[in-house]
Amino acid sequence: EINSINQNLPNADAGGYGGGGKALIIRRWLRSVLGKILRYKAEHQGILDEAASTLQLAVPHDIVRNNVLPFLALPPHRFG
């Protein structure tokens, strides 16, 4: 993904006052990267939920909820 911005940005027009080619390329690239981050975060949460369910079968619920899940959780979404 980083290579796409490195390949496209040098060849783009700088643009004018209304935002140009480089700004548009950067905005599109950032949207793409943020979308992937959110998708991977959702995937991580699904895997975490599945692991927590399995773990709760072997360990008391309060130990999992209070000690394990907070350690594994990702920070909240704060983009934009």
Side-chain angles (χ1 to χ4, degrees):
E1 185 70 33
I2 192 72
N3 288 333
S4 68
I5 192 75
N6 288 338
Q7 292 171 1
N8 295 329
L9 200 56
N11 300 324
D13 293 331
Y17 291 107
K22 288 187 188 278
L24 184 60
I25 287 173
I26 291 169
R27 273 191 228 109
R28 286 180 183 160
W29 179 76
L30 282 173
R31 273 192 220 113
S32 171
V33 169
L34 291 176
K36 287 179 182 179
I37 289 171
L38 294 176
R39 192 170 44 234
Y40 294 143
K41 186 174 177 179
E43 183 179 330
H44 174 267
Q45 187 62 48
I47 293 168
L48 180 62
D49 291 344
E50 183 179 335
S53 295
T54 303
L55 189 58
Q56 286 175 349
L57 296 174
V59 180
H61 177 72
D62 61 328
I63 292 175
V64 173
R65 186 173 24 100
N66 295 333
N67 298 308
V68 177
L69 293 181
F71 176 74
L72 298 175
L74 291 174
H77 164 67
R78 297 190 192 265
F79 304 118

